[in-house]
């Protein structure tokens, strides 16, 4: 049955074959009403979802030729640092954001159960007791034992059912189902971001450790120069200016250490919170000079539509918004509700469940709008605008995803080139410093030449440690941007993976 043909199918119910109509008249009115409702049920208004056409590029602009099929692996293990592996495992188990995201999925699933329940009869019970004294009529004295005050007791089972003739509840259930899947994709997106954040923070921390090591070693070297020149100045071998130059070198290096130590402390605190700990020290593993660089994962742009949780979440939100159009359009049409009750009623509590105390009732109610002055049309327009906004958001998310991957790939390539150049720069400056020191010791040049060489070498060594950490971080960003099956492999490590509703949770046909 086509989704947009609700009104036509409703009209077709009156065109039953003659024999079938005669047979229908033989049944009780309640059964006839249910039979007609069954013929009308299943007509669902609104457009069915169809994935928008996405013009994905054939390949990424900056994809490397050495890409490997590693997108479905636990890629952080390629760094070959057991400490990093342990930190990520701990984060997956204890991170609060993952637990919040899992609770959001459970909340969305509970709302789906609540929404879907309206497709079925609602059965309940009720009981009551009443005693009252009323104004006695004039003839009351003529009636022996006239009941005043009077009592009334009743107990009954009650049922109500709104038949989903036009698919309003079914569309709402479809939207709720999509929201559950969107919440689960949001949870998977938290896993993706968490692993990338933990790995990136750890690599940043190791880069800062390397910078601190460079600063401390340089400070020690400069301290030896200060002590040497101070001693030589005391014996009149050098001038006060040489001592001042050496001290300026020393203080320059000393000023960098508190800055680096502050960055280390802040990074440690952030990393501790990510893994579910109170702020505190983080155990270190391999240095940035010992870590192995992961392979660049292979992939094509179209795969992002199935691998990135944020894109899957945006699509489910689009599906939900699309379903709400049908739910809003169904408000144009009448609703049919069935109610019934069966129980006992008596003026005496002792006779409530005996004698002629049985009571029952059933009824059907048909109600629909005539003049709403924009109440319904406004909801339809709102739903259509929300669907258009969700579509645009989905398209924008896809474009941003393509850009994320291209940016991560080009950053990785250029950072590696920058690292190669920085290694050569440090080597050249180290040679320059060594030669300047030899010439100064031999009396061929002034100490200012040595000072100039060492002043250039120190920041170059700091930059080398920083760039090396950035290269590793760029590899993390590639895996984050590309998504991949590794998210599904990391998911069980959280220990709190909610079971998303199966496809069977979608509203079934009523008849």
């Amino acid at each position: 049955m086509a989704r947009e043909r609700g009104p036509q199918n409703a009209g077709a119910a009156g065109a039953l074959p003659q024999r079938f109509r005669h047979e229908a008249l033989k049944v009780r009115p309640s059964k006839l009403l249910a039979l007609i409702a069954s013929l009308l049920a299943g007509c669902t208004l609104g457009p069915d979802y169809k994935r928008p056409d996405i013009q994905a590029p054939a390949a990424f602009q900056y994809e490397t030729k050495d890409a490997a099929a590693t997108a479905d692996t636990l890629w952080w293990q390629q760094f070959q640092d057991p400490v990093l592996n342990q930190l990520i495992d701990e984060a997956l188990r204890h991170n609060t954001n993952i637990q919040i995201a899992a609770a959001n999925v459970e909340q969305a699933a509970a709302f789906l159960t609540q929404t879907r329940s309206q497709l079925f009869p609602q059965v309940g019970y009720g009981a009551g007791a009443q005693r009252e004294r009323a104004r006695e009529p004039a003839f009351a004295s003529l009636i022996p034992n006239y009941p005043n005050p009077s009592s009334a007791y009743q107990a009954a089972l009650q049922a109500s059912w709104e038949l989903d003739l036009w698919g309003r509840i079914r569309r709402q259930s479809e939207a709720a189902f999509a929201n559950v899947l969107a919440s689960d994709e949001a949870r998977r997106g938290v896993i993706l971001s968490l692993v990338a954040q933990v790995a990136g923070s750890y690599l940043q921390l190791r880069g800062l450790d390397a910078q601190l090591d460079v600063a401390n070693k340089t400070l020690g070297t400069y301290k030896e120069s200060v002590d040497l020149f101070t001693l030589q100045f005391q014996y009149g071998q050098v001038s006060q200016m040489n001592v001042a130059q050496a001290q300026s070198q020393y203080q320059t290096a000393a000023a960098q250490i508190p800055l680096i130590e502050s960055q280390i402390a802040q990074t440690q605190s952030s990393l501790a919170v990510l893994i579910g700990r109170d702020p505190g020290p983080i155990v270190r593993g391999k240095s940035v000079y010992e870590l192995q660089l992961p392979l660049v994962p292979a992939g094509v742009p179209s795969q992002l539509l199935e691998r990135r949780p944020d894109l899957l979440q945006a699509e489910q939100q689009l599906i939900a918004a699309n379903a709400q159009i049908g739910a809003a359009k169904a408000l144009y049409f009448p609703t049919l509700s069935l109610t019934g009750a069966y129980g006992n009623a008596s003026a005496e509590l002792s006779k409530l469940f005996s004698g002629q105390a049985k009571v029952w009732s059933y009824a059907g109610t048909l109600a629909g709008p005539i003049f709403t002055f924009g109440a319904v049309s406004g909801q339809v327009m709102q739903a259509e605008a929300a669907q258009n906004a969700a579509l645009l958001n989905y398209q924008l998310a896809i474009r941003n995803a393509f850009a994320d991957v291209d940016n991560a790939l080009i950053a990785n390539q250029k950072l590696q080139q920058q690292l190669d150049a920085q290694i050569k720069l440090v080597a050249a400056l180290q040679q320059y410093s060594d030669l300047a020191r030899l010439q100064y010791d031999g009396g061929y040049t002034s100490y200012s030449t040595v000072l100039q060489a060492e002043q250039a070498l120190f920041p170059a060594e700091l930059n080398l440690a920083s760039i090396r950490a950035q290269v590793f971080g760029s590899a993390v960003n590639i895996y984050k941007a590309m998504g991949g099956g590794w998210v599904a492999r990391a998911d069980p490590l959280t220990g709190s993976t909610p079971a998303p509703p199966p496809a069977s949770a979608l509203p079934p046909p009523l008849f």
Side-chain angles (χ1 to χ4, degrees):
M1 181 176 296
R3 297 290 187 175
E4 291 285 357
R5 296 179 182 173
Q8 290 85 342
N9 288 323
L16 298 175
Q18 185 72 19
R19 180 186 61 81
F20 189 79
R21 284 192 289 159
H22 285 315
E23 293 295 328
L25 292 176
K26 295 179 182 179
V27 300
R28 295 175 60 182
S30 59
K31 291 184 178 180
L32 179 61
L33 187 61
L35 179 60
I36 295 174
S38 69
L39 295 174
L40 297 177
C43 302
T44 308
L45 300 179
D48 284 331
Y49 175 73
K50 181 180 178 182
R51 174 178 282 184
D53 293 331
I54 304 298
Q55 301 298 325
F60 297 115
Q61 294 186 71
Y62 306 105
E63 187 169 7
T64 178
K65 297 180 180 179
D66 299 327
T70 55
D72 295 338
T73 65
L74 300 180
W75 51 266
W76 55 91
Q77 296 180 355
Q78 296 182 54
F79 289 106
Q80 299 183 11
D81 188 342
V83 173
L84 174 59
N85 298 340
Q86 182 180 356
L87 290 175
I88 290 178
D89 290 345
E90 185 176 351
L92 290 172
R93 290 194 305 270
H94 302 298
N95 181 263
T96 304
N97 288 330
I98 289 182
Q99 297 170 359
I100 293 173
N104 290 338
V105 177
E106 294 174 355
Q107 181 180 4
F111 183 75
L112 170 62
T113 301
Q114 174 187 345
T115 304
R116 188 172 177 267
S117 68
Q118 300 176 56
L119 288 166
F120 306 97
Q122 307 296 301
V123 181
Y125 62 88
Q130 179 180 352
R131 184 170 178 81
E132 67 174 350
R133 178 179 178 82
R135 180 178 178 275
E136 293 185 355
F139 60 82
S141 60
L142 303 177
I143 302 175
N145 300 322
Y146 181 80
N148 194 20
S150 62
S151 301
Y153 303 92
Q154 62 180 0
L157 293 176
Q158 303 165 349
S160 63
W161 188 13
E162 179 185 339
L163 299 181
D164 192 28
L165 302 182
W166 317 111
R168 179 181 64 85
I169 301 175
R170 292 173 60 82
R171 285 301 194 193
Q172 290 177 337
S173 299
E174 181 183 344
F177 182 83
N179 284 329
V180 174
L181 298 182
S183 298
D184 192 54
E185 293 301 337
R187 182 188 61 83
R188 295 177 69 249
V190 172
I191 294 175
L192 181 145
S193 297
L194 174 65
V195 172
Q197 286 178 327
V198 172
S201 296
Y202 179 78
L203 294 169
Q204 181 184 2
L205 181 61
R206 299 307 284 136
L208 291 170
D209 289 337
Q211 288 183 333
L212 183 61
D213 185 59
V214 169
N216 283 325
K217 289 181 178 179
T218 302
L219 185 66
T221 300
Y222 290 172
K223 181 64 169 58
E224 293 176 358
S225 297
V226 170
D227 293 341
L228 176 61
F229 282 116
T230 301
L231 182 61
Q232 290 178 340
F233 172 72
Q234 292 175 353
Y235 289 95
Q237 297 177 357
V238 296
S239 67
Q240 180 67 34
M241 186 176 67
N242 294 123
V243 178
Q245 288 176 330
Q247 288 176 340
S248 67
Q249 270 189 319
Y250 176 82
Q251 295 302 329
T252 299
Q256 290 295 318
I257 291 177
L259 176 61
I260 299 173
E261 289 176 338
S262 175
Q263 293 174 335
I264 288 176
Q266 294 175 24
T267 305
Q268 281 191 135
S269 297
S270 300
L271 185 53
V273 172
L274 285 175
I275 61 181
R277 299 182 191 171
D278 293 330
I282 299 295
V283 177
R284 309 298 205 270
K286 294 184 177 181
S287 70
V288 290
Y289 303 99
E290 298 171 326
L291 295 172
Q292 299 296 315
L293 186 65
L295 299 173
V296 175
V300 295
S302 60
Q303 290 177 331
L304 294 185
L305 301 178
E306 307 296 338
R307 300 201 314 194
R308 280 192 43 145
D310 60 330
L311 299 187
L312 295 173
Q313 178 187 0
E315 183 176 18
Q316 291 300 328
Q317 290 171 339
L318 174 59
I319 294 173
N322 188 78
Q324 290 292 357
I325 296 177
K329 287 185 175 180
L331 297 176
Y332 281 120
F333 299 88
T335 59
L336 176 60
S337 300
L338 305 179
T339 59
Y342 180 82
N344 297 332
S346 174
E348 300 180 26
L349 181 61
S350 60
K351 296 181 180 181
L352 180 60
F353 297 102
S354 62
Q356 302 299 317
K358 302 295 182 183
V359 295
W360 56 264
S361 67
Y362 63 86
T365 303
L366 185 68
I370 298 179
F371 300 112
T372 62
F373 302 96
V376 176
S377 61
Q379 293 186 57
V380 174
M381 289 187 292
Q382 180 182 3
E384 291 174 341
Q387 189 268 354
N388 187 48
L391 174 61
L392 295 173
N393 179 71
Y394 179 51
Q395 294 172 339
L396 179 60
I398 292 174
R399 294 191 187 101
N400 287 335
F402 294 156
D404 287 346
V405 176
D406 276 328
N407 291 340
L409 289 171
I410 189 61
N412 179 261
Q413 294 177 22
K414 298 307 177 183
L415 279 170
Q416 292 197 51
Q417 295 175 8
Q418 186 179 358
L419 177 62
D420 293 338
Q422 192 70 21
I423 291 174
K424 295 176 181 178
L425 174 62
V426 170
L429 289 174
Q430 183 66 60
Q431 184 179 19
Y432 174 35
S433 177
D434 293 341
L435 293 174
R437 175 70 67 172
L438 289 174
Q439 289 185 351
Y440 172 75
D441 292 339
Y444 297 104
T445 187
S446 64
Y447 186 72
S448 60
T449 304
V450 177
L451 180 63
Q452 181 181 3
E454 292 182 345
Q455 284 179 338
L457 176 61
F458 178 47
E461 289 179 325
L462 292 178
N463 287 337
L464 176 60
S466 176
I467 294 172
R468 193 180 294 274
Q470 291 178 42
V471 169
F472 289 114
S474 69
V476 172
N477 291 335
I478 293 176
Y479 279 95
K480 178 183 178 182
M482 282 194 174
W486 66 267
V487 179
R489 297 191 60 184
D491 198 348
L493 300 178
T494 63
S496 59
T497 304
S504 58
L506 281 171
L510 295 182
F511 299 92

